[in-house]
Amino acid sequence: MVSSSHEALHRIFQQDPGLFARVARNLGVAFPPPVSASELSTDLTETQPLERRVDTLLRMETEDGSFVLAVESQSEPDPRKPASWAYYLAHVYAKYGVPPVLLVVCADRRTAAWAAQRVDIGPRQWPSLTLRPLVLGPDDVPVIASPDEAARDIPLTVLSAALHRRDPDADAILNALAKALKGLSADDESTAGTFIELMEQGLGKTPAADIWRHLMAVDLSFFQSQTAQQLRAEGETKGRAEAVLVLLGHRGVEVSEEDRERIIGCGDPDVLDLWLTRALTATSTAEIFAPTGETGLAG
């Protein structure tokens, strides 16, 4: 199953195709920025039953000519991938007649080192094909911790946070990004919502995702986009649940693991407000969860 963090690492290039030229410089390769870019079908399936899909495929038009950029998000080493990548490139070249470039984006350093290996395809005496992907890992994208720098290139900052999501610098990048998004005008709300969603996807289930949700609930409360509203609501609900647990713990009320999971898992803010009120005087979790009218507590 494709994870949301996998999606973010290649979708960011759909959102801003020019990002490729900017990050390629970190890899020592100078691509001119695209004059225009258009998405191509990612379905590389032949008429035979075998199905092959590249993550993102973009036709880039530059002053130096055209090329097709294939972007693959890779989460772990996979010995089957080099053959698939070689197939993608050969198929794209045959189908469109335009030189292809493969960019592999990895949030894991070990995976990035594996993906960067040159692969010769063919007998030792005369390899017929050589696979040389460009690989973008955490060490190839700078840590962007300044709000001003983040504001100058928001897509790059999203990519930086996604690739450094397990690093100690993740919270600084996310804070810089939140401040940069806050500086966008009301006309940019839709764009901001897209980057908020991509950032949520790119962080996966790492601790940095909790930091981002908190920032969404507090620093970006002015955004009215559906994604921002959903994230803010989730952050507020989680805060209510934690408040119930903190209050019960402060009053010495024993909370079983099952009860803790029930409180944390509750997504209804009205129910959580009731439980929070009851926690002020309850002597057991049974009183917290009692149906309305069966306790002497408010609600």
Side-chain angles (χ1 to χ4, degrees):
M1 180 180 294
V2 178
S3 65
S4 58
S5 57
H6 170 102
E7 290 292 303
L9 290 180
H10 68 86
R11 279 185 56 206
I12 188 66
F13 292 92
Q14 297 175 15
Q15 182 66 26
D16 181 6
L19 178 62
F20 171 68
R22 301 197 296 278
V23 297
R25 289 195 293 267
N26 299 327
L27 304 174
V29 185
F31 282 91
V35 176
S36 65
S38 56
E39 289 190 39
L40 303 175
S41 171
T42 60
D43 189 351
L44 304 184
T45 308
E46 294 284 9
T47 55
Q48 300 299 320
L50 182 63
E51 179 180 318
R52 298 181 187 271
R53 288 183 183 271
V54 66
D55 286 337
T56 283
L57 200 61
L58 300 168
R59 178 168 179 146
M60 312 283 268
E61 307 291 345
T62 77
E63 293 180 351
D64 288 349
S66 306
F67 67 93
V68 172
L69 175 65
V71 185
E72 282 281 284
S73 175
Q74 191 67 25
S75 59
E76 60 184 16
D78 183 345
R80 299 169 298 178
K81 275 296 184 177
S84 295
W85 292 339
Y87 174 90
Y88 296 164
L89 298 180
H91 181 88
V92 165
Y93 188 50
K95 182 174 182 178
Y96 298 106
V98 178
V101 175
L102 173 63
L103 176 68
V104 182
V105 189
C106 310
D108 174 73
R109 288 177 173 83
R110 180 177 67 94
T111 303
W114 164 81
Q117 298 179 73
R118 164 177 166 164
V119 178
D120 290 325
I121 300 173
R124 175 180 57 80
Q125 296 85 346
W126 192 268
S128 298
L129 293 174
T130 298
L131 181 68
R132 297 177 60 209
L134 284 171
V135 178
L136 205 59
D139 296 330
D140 302 306
V141 174
V143 170
I144 300 178
S146 161
D148 290 339
E149 188 178 358
R152 286 194 293 271
D153 199 334
I154 288 178
L156 180 61
T157 307
V158 171
L159 182 62
S160 175
L163 291 179
H164 291 282
R165 63 195 182 209
R166 296 185 181 89
D167 294 348
D169 299 311
D171 59 339
I173 304 173
L174 294 174
N175 275 281
L177 176 60
K179 290 181 173 62
L181 290 173
K182 192 172 182 178
L184 294 177
S185 66
D187 294 338
D188 294 321
E189 182 177 318
S190 176
T191 300
T194 298
F195 289 128
I196 289 171
E197 180 185 359
L198 277 172
M199 194 69 273
E200 170 75 5
Q201 290 180 336
L203 296 174
K205 297 182 179 180
T206 61
D210 292 331
I211 297 174
W212 184 243
R213 287 177 177 273
H214 175 74
L215 290 171
M216 293 301 94
V218 179
D219 291 350
L220 296 184
S221 59
F222 58 92
F223 276 121
Q224 299 303 313
S225 67
Q226 182 177 356
T227 301
Q229 287 181 6
Q230 179 183 351
L231 292 175
R232 184 165 67 252
E234 290 176 1
E236 291 172 353
T237 300
K238 183 178 179 181
R240 285 186 177 94
E242 290 176 346
V244 172
L245 292 172
V246 169
L247 185 55
L248 290 175
H250 179 71
R251 299 189 57 252
V253 177
E254 184 176 349
V255 180
S256 69
E257 188 61 32
E258 181 180 355
D259 290 341
R260 179 180 298 274
E261 291 179 0
R262 180 176 177 181
I263 294 171
I264 290 295
C266 180
D268 188 328
D270 293 334
V271 172
L272 287 169
D273 283 342
L274 174 62
W275 290 352
L276 187 58
T277 300
R278 290 178 172 181
L280 294 170
T281 56
T283 58
S284 69
T285 54
E287 294 180 18
I288 296 291
F289 301 136
T292 303
E294 293 190 9
T295 74
L297 301 170

